[in-house]
Structure formats: structure tokens, C-alpha cells
Amino acid sequence: MGLYPEIEPYDHGMLDVGDGNHVYWEVCGNPRGKPAVMLHGGPGSGCGAGYRRYCDPAAYRIVLLDQRGCGRSTPHSSAYDTDMSVNTTAHLIADLERLRRHLGIGRWLVWGVSWGSVLGLRYAQTHPQAVSELVLTAVATGSNREVALLTRGLGQFFPDAFQRFLAALPEDDREGNLAAACNRLIESPDPEVRSRAARAWTDWETATIPAPPRSVERYEDPVFRMGFARTVTHYWGNDHFLGDGNDEGVILRDAHLLRGIPGTLVQGSLDFGNLLGTVWRLHRAWPDSELLVVDDVGHTTGAPGMADALVAATDAYARH
């Protein structure tokens, strides 16, 4: 099956979402089709052209956006004077609602990958009337347990890379939340300290989350690297701005709020997040969800089996 052919947007713009921020958006596919919004990962990765290809362009009105501070949205989080206090999960959810109303959409399918699945789940829990279905992949829920696994926990599997990462942090900060410790360095007024910390973070991520060469190459762009590392550590170091600090996280706690929303979870069997069983627990707590596990695939959407499953899900929901 594979992905749909490459297409270009028929409309795009910059939406003023307040706080001095403007969010880039674009729409492609069928202007009269079923609305779908694509939520990228990171947080802070930005939405590339590949996200246009997971929905049938003849059946869907496909909306892409760069979340606050990344991609083509302004101001970019790589700039030291960008105010990160107005870049939180609540702000991103409010941006989605503002964009939905701006485009005159009643309900839309929400498609999300990695951090995008966290954002999509919380958006659906807080605005269920706006969500027709969910298609989520490389699933995460933004819990403290997940952050601990992806920073300190994976150190036992990648000891050399982990020691290099730890060595970049002050000794007094090596026992607590490592993302928060790295973020404190990235917020330093010293540009060299910021640069070294951003490099340490992306080197650690590259070592632990295999990615296609094109994705890894982005980290060689100092603007992307700084914006990405600053945004990820900002969220991971602050409980994803989701609330009570419970290790299990509020999304699993509030899974009952998803009742009545159909959803498809597509997960690689080798995704490290599976070590916590999060996607299985989410599926059990959400009766309207379907879980599809793709063998021999990690934290990615590009593998053939993953692409096939994701396209099959959006094809099925196009008929709803």
C-alpha cells in the first residue's frame, strides 16, 4: 500500500495565536473532504511535507501546522529571547482550537506521532466535541515514567552515549530530572553553554532513537538543533505541562474521557516506550481504540509496515 503520492498545499498562512506568536498552517487534498489535522513530534520537530501523505488526498482536507516556536512558526525557539513560558501544552491546545475555528472546521480526525500523540490525546480529552477519530503512532502519553526511561533508563542499554551525556551536565544535576538539567544549560545567557548543551541532547537522542539519515541531518543545522533541544527539554523537564506530577501521568488517568471517540494505535514492536507497557495500558483503558503492533519496527513511521497500517487506518475512517 505505502504512502499516498506527494502533493502541494492549496492554501497556507500564518495564524496570530497571541503572546506574540504566529503559527504556520497549510491545507492540502480535497477542500470538501473529511478534515484531518496532522500533529508532529518532538515537541519542536516541525511538520514536513511527508505528513501530507498519510491521508487520501481525494477524501481528506489535510491540515498541517508547525507548533509554536518551531518550523516556520514565529518566533523560533532557537532565539534566546523567545519567551518559552507561553509555549506549553495548554497553549498548543488553544492554538489547535483557534486554527480549527479559523478554517471553519467542526470536527476533525487527529493524527499524531510521538509527542504529537501526547498532544492529540490531551486535546481529545479536553475537546472531545472537536475530534471525530484519533490515529496515533509511536505512542507516548507524556508521563514522568516515560521521561525517566528515555533519559536515565536507557543508559543501561547505551552506556557509552549515556556517560557522554552525563558528562555534559553539572555533577549536582546528574541525579534528578536530566531533561530539566539540560534545559537549565540551554537557558544559560552564555551562547557557548547553550550550544554545547543542545549538542549533548541531540547526540543522546541520536544514539537512543534510530532515525533515517535525513532526520539525523537536521541536527547538524544549529538553528534546528537549538530550537528542538530547547523545546524538548522545556517540556520534558516540566511534566509536559500536564498537571499533577504523577509518575503515571494525567493522560492515562483520564483515559475514560476518550470514551466514544474511535481510535487506532499503531506501534512498532521495538519502540523503547513499550518497555513501560504504556500503549497497552492506554488501549485497555480506552475501549473504542484498536491497537496494531508492527513487528521489527522502532520509534518511527517510515517503515513499510507502519506506513501501511497508518494509511489503512485513515482510509477506513474516511468512510465514516
Side-chain angles (χ1 to χ4, degrees):
M1 181 181 297
L3 300 176
Y4 282 99
E6 295 182 4
I7 54 173
E8 294 297 320
Y10 65 78
D11 196 9
H12 70 279
M14 298 289 287
L15 181 66
D16 185 346
V17 293
D19 311 306
N21 280 264
H22 290 78
V23 167
Y24 172 84
W25 60 270
E26 64 182 43
V27 188
C28 55
N30 182 352
R32 296 180 178 82
K34 177 184 178 72
V37 62
M38 317 300 282
L39 302 182
H40 64 72
S45 294
C47 209
Y51 288 96
R52 303 169 187 162
R53 304 179 62 194
Y54 288 94
C55 297
D56 181 353
Y60 279 94
R61 180 185 180 192
I62 309 164
V63 180
L64 281 69
L65 74 153
D66 291 328
Q67 295 156 29
R68 285 195 185 204
C70 68
R72 292 147 289 189
S73 295
T74 61
H76 200 272
S77 56
S78 61
Y80 179 63
D81 59 355
T82 295
D83 181 6
M84 296 299 288
S85 72
V86 293
N87 192 331
T88 70
T89 303
H91 287 96
L92 300 189
I93 288 174
D95 295 349
L96 287 174
E97 277 297 274
R98 190 173 299 213
L99 178 59
R100 182 179 66 84
R101 293 191 298 269
H102 175 74
L103 295 175
I105 292 172
R107 301 169 74 213
W108 48 11
L109 178 147
V110 175
W111 188 104
V113 55
S114 192
W115 155 254
S117 66
V118 181
L119 180 60
L121 285 163
R122 196 56 181 166
Y123 176 63
Q125 289 175 342
T126 55
H127 295 80
Q129 76 289 344
V131 179
S132 57
E133 302 91 9
L134 286 158
V135 176
L136 308 175
T137 186
V139 177
T141 64
S143 70
N144 287 336
R145 290 186 71 209
E146 291 167 69
V147 170
L149 169 68
L150 295 174
T151 52
R152 188 178 306 281
L154 292 184
Q156 62 185 310
F157 302 106
F158 304 95
D160 290 342
F162 185 59
Q163 288 305 314
R164 290 193 295 271
F165 176 49
L166 279 186
L169 305 176
E171 285 190 37
D172 292 345
D173 277 345
R174 296 176 188 173
E175 296 301 321
N177 183 311
L178 298 181
C182 191
N183 184 255
R184 285 191 285 273
L185 295 178
I186 291 175
E187 296 297 341
S188 166
D190 186 333
E192 291 191 8
V193 172
R194 297 200 301 273
S195 179
R196 288 195 300 268
R199 170 62 79 177
W201 182 265
T202 56
D203 283 353
W204 169 243
E205 180 153 326
T206 301
T208 58
I209 303 178
R214 184 175 179 181
S215 295
V216 175
E217 287 170 6
R218 296 183 304 173
Y219 294 146
E220 296 308 311
D221 176 354
V223 173
F224 177 86
R225 181 171 64 241
M226 177 58 69
F228 176 80
R230 187 183 188 192
T231 306
V232 174
T233 57
H234 171 65
Y235 276 79
W236 288 24
N238 287 285
D239 191 28
H240 288 81
F241 303 97
L242 285 172
D244 59 12
N246 183 319
D247 282 348
E248 293 294 337
V250 299
I251 286 178
L252 276 177
R253 182 199 69 192
D254 291 347
H256 63 281
L257 298 176
L258 300 170
R259 186 176 299 276
I261 301 176
T264 301
L265 307 169
V266 180
Q267 193 80 348
S269 64
L270 301 182
D271 192 319
F272 281 121
N274 295 347
L275 295 173
L276 297 175
T278 301
V279 69
W280 283 270
R281 286 184 288 154
L282 175 64
H283 172 53
R284 286 199 301 270
W286 178 14
D288 298 286
S289 68
E290 173 188 22
L291 174 59
L292 304 174
V293 178
V294 180
D295 289 336
D296 301 322
V297 174
H299 193 77
T300 182
T301 61
M306 296 289 282
D308 292 346
L310 289 165
V311 168
T314 58
D315 281 355
Y317 289 133
R319 297 189 289 272
H320 278 198

